[in-house]
């Protein structure tokens, strides 16, 4: 239930980002691109560049003013942004059509939405490597900054990225995998998905840094040109002497190294009054170090770089179509994490429930398409998913590794796979993962306590972002998101503890429960080598000896070993012996779930 709540919060704001991509996608069908130049304001016969755009940049102005039309504070809602509202409506219609038939419709969509981005990424990588400065960006990517490794924020954001990339804690992976056959090789799938995710991240990062390297070179050349004009002005006004300039330099085409030499000479000679000259060092490293993340990466940095591409509208259309497909793939998984648990539990009509979810989500999403909606997207991204998702994952880990039992879980996998997983999984599940997750939660809580919660607001008068703290009501909303997402954990526990809600085992008698727990206890006390060290990976599990006693509701009873195939064992589930010791043992026909458990 808590995972379902997290999926709901993420789906609300994530589809807004798809709406933004849809808006930019349709804006890309024009030449030149609408964000390539600053708009001209005409006052009679006088034409001037829009001041807000001139102070920032054309892409930044288009994003904050013409797309979001954002306000300067979260307290000023500014009313609905009509363009973004229509884009959000289109996004929810697309998502609804993709998931309305369940796996039958979403599966077909996922084939395209998952594979098409790879084609675009490879095209962008090839094009990016042909750009001037792309090698500088990639070299910057592979240059380690060890001091960053000591910052807890880096590890927290890395973990959050892994959670989102692999879908950990969202429920979508569990929902999709429930359609697999019992003997499906989930071990191979897990390893394959992890490696695909890793190499996809490397591929996407190469594309990003190649383009950012190109952008950094463009900005650095612009910086050198502006400062060269300043130096020429100082030379003509006799503030600087021509004797300071090396004779071999040509000011009409000043390279990066030439400008660095001039800058160093002037700084050495004019040591006392150098600050008054207002010259910038124009270092490429400084441009590469400028932090670009979140929405700014896709809608400001990339859009600016694409304005310098030949055939820029084509690349812009491809880029935002790729973003729409990536977002759609994520939204399908998120929506599946919402609909599947409800449909399996309450057996409601799928189409009707899906449509109702999308309609309710659209109206709730109007919060994010106000003029101040971008700030709410940041709020939900920071607070509704990070900490609650980590709590959900660590509880899943503890439930399986310590309550259900790692050895029993490995035995289950052996029955399903036909071989024992590697021994390292036992220690990773039981010790390494919980410890890492506890450290991650601790770092997150400490960071939230130390760093004041806030957001980067776009100040129209200054044409730049400024950090602002959340007002008290917004701060309350931030922590309410965390509490509401984790609220099902104690509520369901209390409800089941006092028999206010069925936990699926209420038909088991007390004596049977005690007998079952005793059997589990005996199983846990057995030698670990039986479950871990007793066989090599790939070795087929031993055949159960004939006449072996198995625990049944009526006590120990000899069962036919042929009945203990994985399909029979897992087809009825460990939770399904819905008989009491006083009831004659009869074949049990389990209810057919919406998705096979």
């Amino acid at each position: 239930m808590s995972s379902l709540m997290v999926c709901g919060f993420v789906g609300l704001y994530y589809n807004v980002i798809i709406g933004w991509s849809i808006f930019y996608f349709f804006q890309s069908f024009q030449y030149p691109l609408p964000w390539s130049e600053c708009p001209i304001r005409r006052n009679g016969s006088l034409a001037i560049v829009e001041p807000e755009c001139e102070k920032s940049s054309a892409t930044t102005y288009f994003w904050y003013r013409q797309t979001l039309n954002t306000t300067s504070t979260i307290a000023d809602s500014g009313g609905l942004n009509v363009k973004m509202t229509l884009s959000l409506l289109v996004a929810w219609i697309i998502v609804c059509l993709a998931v309305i038939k369940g796996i039958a419709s979403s599966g077909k969509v996922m084939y395209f939405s998952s594979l098409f981005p790879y084609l675009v990424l490879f095209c962008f990588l090839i094009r990016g490597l042909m750009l001037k400065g792309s090698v500088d960006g990639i070299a910057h990517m592979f240059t380690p900054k060890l001091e960053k490794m000591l910052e807890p924020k880096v590890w927290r954001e890395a973990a959050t990225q892994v959670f989102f990339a692999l879908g950990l804690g969202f429920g979508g992976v569990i929902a999709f995998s429930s359609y697999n056959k019992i003997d499906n090789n989930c071990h191979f799938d897990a390893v394959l998905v992890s490696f695909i995710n890793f190499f996809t991240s490397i591929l996407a990062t190469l594309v990003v840094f190649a383009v950012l390297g190109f952008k950094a070179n463009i900005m650095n050349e612009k910086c050198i040109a502006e400062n060269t004009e300043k130096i020429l002005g100082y030379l003509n006004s006799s503030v600087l002497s021509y004797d300071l300039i090396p004779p071999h330099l040509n000011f009409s085409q000043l390279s990066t190294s030439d400008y660095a030499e001039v800058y160093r000479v002037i700084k050495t000679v004019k040591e006392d009054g150098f600050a008054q000259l207002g010259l910038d060092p124009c270092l490429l490293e400084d441009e590469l170090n400028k932090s670009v993340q979140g929405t700014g990466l896709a809608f400001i940095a990339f859009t600016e770089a694409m304005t310098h591409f030949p055939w820029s509208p084509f690349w812009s259309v491809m880029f935002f179509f790729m973003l729409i497909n990536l977002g759609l793939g994520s939204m399908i998984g998120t929506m599946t994490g919402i609909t599947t648990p409800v449909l399996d539990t309450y057996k409601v009509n799928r189409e009707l429930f899906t449509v109702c979810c999308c309609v309710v989500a659209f109206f709730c999403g109007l919060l994010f398409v106000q003029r101040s909606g971008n700030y709410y997207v940041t709020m939900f991204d920071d607070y509704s998913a990070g900490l609650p998702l980590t709590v959900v994952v660590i509880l899943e880990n503890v439930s399986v590794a310590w309550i259900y039992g790692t050895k029993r879980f490995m035995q289950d996998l052996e029955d399903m796979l036909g071989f024992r997983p590697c021994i390292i999984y036992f220690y990773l599940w039981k010790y390494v993962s919980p410890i890492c997750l506890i450290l991650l939660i601790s770092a997150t809580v400490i960071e939230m306590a130390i760093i004041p919660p806030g957001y980067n607001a776009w100040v129209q008068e200054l044409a730049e972002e400024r950090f602002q703290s959340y007002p008290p009501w917004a701060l309350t909303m931030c922590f309410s998101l965390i509490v509401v997402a984790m609220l099902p954990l104690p509520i369901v526990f209390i409800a089941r503890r006092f028999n206010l809600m069925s936990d699926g085992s209420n038909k088991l008698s007390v004596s049977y429960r005690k007998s079952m727990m005793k059997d589990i206890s005996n199983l846990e006390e057995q030698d670990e080598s039986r479950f871990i060290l007793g066989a090599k990976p790939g070795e087929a599990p031993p055949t159960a000896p004939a006449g072996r006693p198995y625990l049944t509701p009526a006590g120990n009873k000899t069962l036919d070993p042929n009945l203990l195939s994985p399909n029979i064992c897992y087809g009825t589930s460990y939770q399904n012996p819905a008989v009491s010791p006083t009831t004659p043992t009869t074949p049990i026909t389990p209810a057919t779930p919406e998705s096979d458990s």
Side-chain angles (χ1 to χ4, degrees), residues 472-546:
W473 63 267
L475 203 57
T476 303
M477 188 174 178
C478 291
F479 291 106
S480 296
L481 292 173
I482 299 175
V483 173
V484 170
M486 295 191 294
L487 207 56
L489 298 172
I491 288 180
V492 175
F493 171 77
I494 294 172
R496 288 181 174 174
R497 180 68 179 82
F498 293 99
N499 296 323
L500 301 176
M501 179 185 295
S502 171
D503 63 356
S505 62
N506 56 339
K507 295 183 180 180
L508 300 178
S509 67
V510 175
S511 60
Y512 174 53
R513 290 178 188 172
K514 290 183 177 179
S515 177
M516 183 172 64
M517 293 308 298
K518 182 178 179 181
D519 183 75
I520 293 173
S521 177
N522 292 336
L523 184 63
E524 291 290 342
E525 291 173 359
Q526 291 184 30
D527 184 13
E528 292 185 4
S529 61
R530 164 66 183 85
F531 300 95
I532 307 172
L533 304 176
K536 298 178 181 179
E539 181 180 339
T543 305

Side-chain angles (χ1 to χ4, degrees), residues 55-320:
K55 293 177 183 177
S56 54
S57 67
T59 51
T60 305
Y61 175 81
F62 186 85
W63 168 242
Y64 282 112
R65 188 55 50 214
Q66 295 188 329
T67 302
L68 301 179
N69 195 18
T70 188
T71 58
S72 298
T73 172
I74 193 173
D76 180 13
S77 68
L80 288 178
N81 184 330
V82 178
K83 293 181 290 186
M84 293 301 101
T85 303
L86 294 176
S87 299
L88 179 63
L89 178 61
V90 172
W92 273 115
I93 291 174
I94 294 173
V95 170
C96 187
L97 293 175
V99 300
I100 194 168
K101 292 293 184 182
I103 198 72
S105 58
S106 63
K108 296 180 178 63
V109 175
M110 288 289 280
Y111 277 115
F112 180 79
S113 65
S114 299
L115 297 177
F116 176 75
Y118 285 98
L119 174 64
V120 178
L121 281 175
F122 275 111
C123 292
F124 262 97
L125 180 61
I126 295 171
R127 184 68 188 92
L129 292 175
M130 297 168 62
L131 297 172
K132 178 183 178 182
S134 61
V135 177
D136 297 323
I138 294 175
H140 182 75
M141 166 187 168
F142 287 106
T143 302
K145 294 180 175 59
L146 299 180
E147 66 277 5
K148 292 286 185 182
M149 303 285 285
L150 301 177
E151 298 180 9
K153 180 181 178 182
V154 172
W155 291 97
R156 183 179 66 83
E157 292 185 350
T160 303
Q161 170 64 21
V162 170
F163 284 2
F164 272 82
L166 293 177
L168 304 181
F170 282 99
V173 175
I174 297 175
F176 281 129
S177 62
S178 67
Y179 293 93
N180 285 331
K181 296 180 179 179
I182 297 301
D183 56 353
N184 178 68
N185 193 339
C186 56
H187 176 271
F188 174 79
D189 291 347
V191 174
L192 179 64
V193 168
S194 298
F195 273 99
I196 290 176
N197 178 69
F198 172 74
F199 287 114
T200 303
S201 299
I202 295 297
L203 173 63
T205 311
L206 283 171
V207 173
V208 168
F209 275 86
V211 173
L212 290 182
F214 167 70
K215 177 178 176 290
N217 269 267
I218 294 292
M219 300 305 294
N220 199 53
E221 290 176 358
K222 182 179 178 182
C223 176
I224 291 175
E226 291 175 352
N227 283 269
T228 300
E229 290 293 328
K230 289 183 181 180
I231 294 174
L232 286 174
Y234 293 140
L235 292 173
N236 294 331
S237 60
S238 300
V239 175
L240 295 176
S241 172
Y242 278 97
D243 296 334
L244 299 176
I245 309 302
H248 65 279
L249 295 184
N250 181 7
F251 266 79
S252 61
Q253 290 182 337
L254 207 59
S255 66
T256 304
S257 57
D258 293 338
Y259 176 79
E261 183 179 354
V262 173
Y263 181 85
R264 185 173 58 254
V265 170
I266 296 175
K267 186 177 181 179
T268 303
V269 175
K270 293 284 186 178
E271 185 175 355
D272 296 332
F274 180 77
Q276 284 72 31
L277 298 177
L279 298 177
D280 296 318
C282 296
L283 297 177
L284 183 62
E285 187 72 14
D286 292 341
E287 290 293 338
L288 290 170
N289 280 330
K290 288 182 179 178
S291 177
V292 179
Q293 61 181 357
T295 55
L297 177 62
F299 298 101
I300 297 178
F302 247 85
T303 52
E304 183 172 348
M306 284 187 293
T307 58
H308 301 285
F309 283 15
W311 300 90
S312 54
F314 168 77
W315 292 105
S316 183
V317 168
M318 292 289 286
F319 176 71
F320 288 107

